[in-house]
Amino acid sequence: MVLRVYNTLTRQMEDFTPLHDGKVNMYVCGPTVYDHCHLGHARSYISFDVIRRYLAYRGYDVRYVSNITDVDDKIIDRAKETGENPFELSSRFTLSFIEDMDKLNVQRPDVQPRVTEHIPEIIETIKVLIDKKLAYATPEGNVYYDLTRSLDLVGVLSRQTIDGLLEGSGSRVDVEKDKKYQLDFVLWKISPEDEPGWESPWGRGRPGWHIECSVMSVKHGSEQLDIHGGGADLIFPHHEAEIMQSEGYTGINPFSKYWLHNGFLTIDHEKMSKSKGNFFTIKQVLEEFPSEVIRFFMLNTHYRNTIDFSEKHLEEAGRAYERIANTISNIKYAIQNAPENGDDFCLSEEVNQARDSFIVSMDEDFNTREALADLFVFARKVNALISESNPGKIALEEVLTFFSEIDQVLGVFSEGPATCEEIPGGASDEDVESMIQQREDARKARDWDLADAIRDELKEKGIIIEDSKDGVRWRRA
Ligand code: AMP
Ligand code: ZN
């Protein structure tokens, strides 16, 4: 089986063959830290986390670099509003971002470089671009990339034409007046006295947004990447600018062999973003929903498709999540009383088939949606086998091992159903045990109404109880 990925560069599905056997150099654009991150950011980083984990699952040695933009106009503007020092503000939100990612079980990058720690390297790179006549400094102290030197690269990712760009220029294109050409983009910009700045050959200033990724990917990743990732909004101008800068600097083409872009998380079909104000922070959502459910919700859509966010959709994801988590719980329960070898029938074969389906789905551009759909089918079969036959410990343990194996990629089941209490309307194992005890007490006291009421309440929470000669058994529906 061959892993295939959708490459924005070619607009095609392609077989994935890294530049160096067995190794993958991956760079993903990190956040601009001027506030707590929202769920749209979570979408991007969960997508690339799963891509990274799957590549590792497939045996690749993955190096994952993702930056932190900790100096930027938005940070400076926000610091002016709050009266805070911009560096303190950005450190605060960097920590907030790392904390959110940890909670969402997003593995930390191998390197997470910050712009403010790379100013000398950025200045050196800009000097090389000027020496190569790919960039120019203006008397005002700004440095621009000379787009007329890279016209062949215009539209390489975005498929836009120069005419189209000139007509539509405005959004995310700099409008400074000292440029030679309207579409030139800034590499270094002069800082006013009261704003952060660093001394440079062109005066006191700070880097433009695009240059940091070219510099940090070379320094911490490689001069040529296997995968470059980010949200679809970064395709233009950010990623095209990165291509021009990086290829101009290293002389190596292509800068990245594969370009992967995640689709948007929307609210009412509009992209969730800070500037529109239509966002929920990751922290807000984590107050209401367990992180496993948020991850599961994201993975239930292919990473390139749009997800429309609503509380209702998250609740639905919670219920779907619980179905698989309950299967894991059922297996754990069944193992306790299972014989070493039982009527295993085809459980082992089912596991092998489930593994094959998982790989087939994930090999098709990391199709987590299909992978989860297959997992539901598998979970249903396992539930049926447990309730209808008498599988042995060895076979059941094989199923559990399979769930942990694929969870190295999905990262949603490691805590198992212990988190069910956090799902609205859910019940933890301890809650269930305690309610069953109350029902037993009611039965002993011949309070049949109360016993029935407790049974009904458990049923509403998706808990089925069975009275057997060995006592009460329960499972999740
Ligand atoms: P920013 O801090 O805005 O540069 O965003 C950091 C990363 O999150 C980029 O790759 C963005 O494309 C991505 N991102 C931001 N908002 C969303 C969203 N609503 N849906 C998906 N990805 C997003
Ligand atoms: Zn970037």
Side-chain angles (χ1 to χ4, degrees):
M1 284 177 280
V2 182
L3 169 62
R4 282 155 38 92
V5 301
Y6 182 84
N7 190 353
T8 312
L9 199 57
T10 57
R11 305 262 155 159
Q12 274 175 11
M13 289 288 284
E14 290 178 22
D15 288 356
F16 180 73
T17 42
L19 297 160
H20 303 284
D21 247 7
K23 282 200 172 1
V24 176
N25 253 302
M26 193 170 167
Y27 182 91
V28 173
C29 293
T32 306
V33 281
Y34 69 102
D35 204 340
H36 295 296
C37 280
H38 59 65
L39 215 55
H41 297 116
R43 204 239 161 146
S44 187
Y45 300 116
I46 290 172
S47 299
F48 288 105
D49 179 55
V50 168
I51 289 172
R52 168 202 195 170
R53 284 164 175 257
Y54 186 65
L55 290 165
Y57 175 83
R58 290 294 254 124
Y60 291 109
D61 174 10
V62 185
R63 181 164 176 84
Y64 187 99
V65 179
S66 189
N67 63 309
I68 300 271
T69 305
D70 62 350
V71 59
D72 177 87
D73 289 351
K74 289 188 204 130
I75 296 172
I76 295 166
D77 293 346
R78 178 60 58 90
K80 280 184 186 159
E81 277 165 39
T82 62
E84 217 171 334
N85 173 311
F87 296 122
E88 277 170 17
L89 182 126
S90 63
S91 325
R92 192 155 61 83
F93 289 122
T94 300
L95 290 180
S96 161
F97 169 67
I98 293 172
E99 181 185 83
D100 290 348
M101 292 302 111
D102 283 353
K103 289 216 170 108
L104 292 173
N105 203 9
V106 169
Q107 290 180 343
R108 291 195 182 180
D110 293 304
V111 192
Q112 198 162 32
R114 302 175 193 197
V115 183
T116 52
E117 291 166 358
H118 290 78
I119 303 296
E121 291 92 333
I122 290 175
I123 291 175
E124 281 313 304
T125 305
I126 297 174
K127 275 192 203 164
V128 171
L129 292 175
I130 294 176
D131 287 348
K132 289 189 169 186
K133 308 245 177 313
L134 292 166
Y136 58 93
T138 68
E140 283 83 347
N142 296 313
V143 182
Y144 294 99
Y145 189 91
D146 184 349
L147 197 102
T148 59
R149 294 291 315 278
S150 300
L151 289 175
D152 54 324
L153 291 175
V154 171
V156 69
L157 277 178
S158 67
R159 298 290 192 269
Q160 300 186 83
T161 60
I162 290 276
D163 289 344
L165 286 174
L166 286 172
E167 246 171 59
S169 71
S171 75
R172 291 191 125 170
V173 173
D174 310 311
V175 290
E176 288 81 357
K177 293 198 174 58
D178 56 338
K179 288 177 180 180
K180 284 204 253 177
Y181 183 57
Q182 196 175 335
L183 295 177
D184 292 347
F185 55 87
V186 73
L187 300 176
W188 185 262
K189 59 176 162 190
I190 211 74
S191 289
E193 277 295 304
D194 60 338
E195 291 187 2
W198 290 263
E199 289 310 325
S200 81
W202 319 287
R204 187 177 166 279
R206 61 190 140 94
W209 173 36
H210 314 306
I211 191 70
E212 65 185 80
C213 291
S214 289
V215 171
M216 298 201 270
S217 58
V218 168
K219 173 154 188 209
H220 298 288
S222 168
E223 288 197 326
Q224 196 174 23
L225 301 169
D226 294 290
I227 296 180
H228 193 309
D233 54 331
L234 299 191
I235 293 175
F236 181 83
H238 185 57
H239 287 164
E240 273 187 14
E242 279 189 39
I243 290 176
M244 291 178 194
Q245 297 162 160
S246 299
E247 294 185 6
Y249 174 76
T250 63
I252 299 171
N253 167 331
F255 163 44
S256 178
K257 189 168 179 190
Y258 303 95
W259 284 84
L260 271 51
H261 292 99
N262 65 272
F264 294 143
L265 182 94
T266 58
I267 288 198
D268 295 330
H269 307 287
E270 229 190 305
K271 181 184 170 236
M272 181 179 283
S273 72
K274 283 273 148 66
S275 51
K276 292 198 192 100
N278 61 345
F279 64 88
F280 287 97
T281 64
I282 296 170
K283 290 188 200 315
Q284 282 170 329
V285 183
L286 276 169
E287 273 172 25
E288 303 282 329
F289 292 88
S291 64
E292 293 87 343
V293 169
I294 300 174
R295 245 183 113 92
F296 189 91
F297 166 71
M298 301 290 183
L299 300 185
N300 212 12
T301 299
H302 186 274
Y303 78 90
R304 278 193 292 117
N305 292 342
T306 304
I307 300 180
D308 200 40
F309 168 80
S310 73
E311 206 153 307
K312 187 169 145 263
H313 291 158
L314 253 180
E315 279 166 10
E316 281 163 9
R319 285 191 287 276
Y321 169 78
E322 216 177 343
R323 291 218 299 277
I324 300 183
N326 287 345
T327 301
I328 298 174
S329 156
N330 286 346
I331 302 166
K332 286 182 180 162
Y333 187 84
I335 279 177
Q336 290 170 21
N337 300 313
E340 204 63 18
N341 289 293
D343 309 331
D344 297 327
F345 308 123
C346 42
L347 206 45
S348 196
E349 208 175 287
E350 292 287 356
V351 169
N352 288 336
Q353 267 181 26
R355 179 180 294 108
D356 286 349
S357 316
F358 178 74
I359 294 174
V360 166
S361 300
M362 293 298 287
D363 269 357
E364 198 60 8
D365 197 24
F366 313 99
N367 195 336
T368 51
R369 176 163 182 84
E370 279 297 315
L372 290 182
D374 293 340
L375 216 51
F376 281 120
V377 176
F378 174 66
R380 214 172 301 132
K381 282 184 191 162
V382 171
N383 282 338
L385 279 171
I386 291 175
S387 59
E388 287 158 21
S389 62
N390 186 28
K393 242 190 198 113
I394 295 173
L396 289 168
E397 266 158 13
E398 196 183 335
V399 182
L400 272 190
T401 307
F402 167 69
F403 274 110
S404 348
E405 176 191 317
I406 58 166
D407 207 43
Q408 289 164 28
V409 179
L410 302 173
V412 286
F413 300 124
S414 30
E415 291 306 312
T419 51
C420 289
E421 72 218 80
E422 297 165 47
I423 297 171
S428 68
D429 289 4
E430 293 77 41
D431 289 345
V432 175
E433 302 285 356
S434 142
M435 286 173 75
I436 288 175
Q437 190 52 53
Q438 285 168 30
R439 177 170 168 267
E440 285 305 283
D441 294 345
R443 275 153 55 112
K444 273 191 201 129
R446 298 183 166 270
D447 188 346
W448 309 118
D449 286 348
L450 178 60
D452 287 350
I454 294 174
R455 183 187 201 115
D456 290 347
E457 199 183 326
L458 281 164
K459 198 170 166 199
E460 253 173 46
K461 290 182 185 295
I463 308 295
I464 311 285
I465 52 177
E466 288 154 17
D467 297 309
S468 75
K469 60 178 174 12
D470 305 324
V472 181
R473 278 186 53 165
W474 66 272
R475 64 186 166 83
R476 297 180 188 270

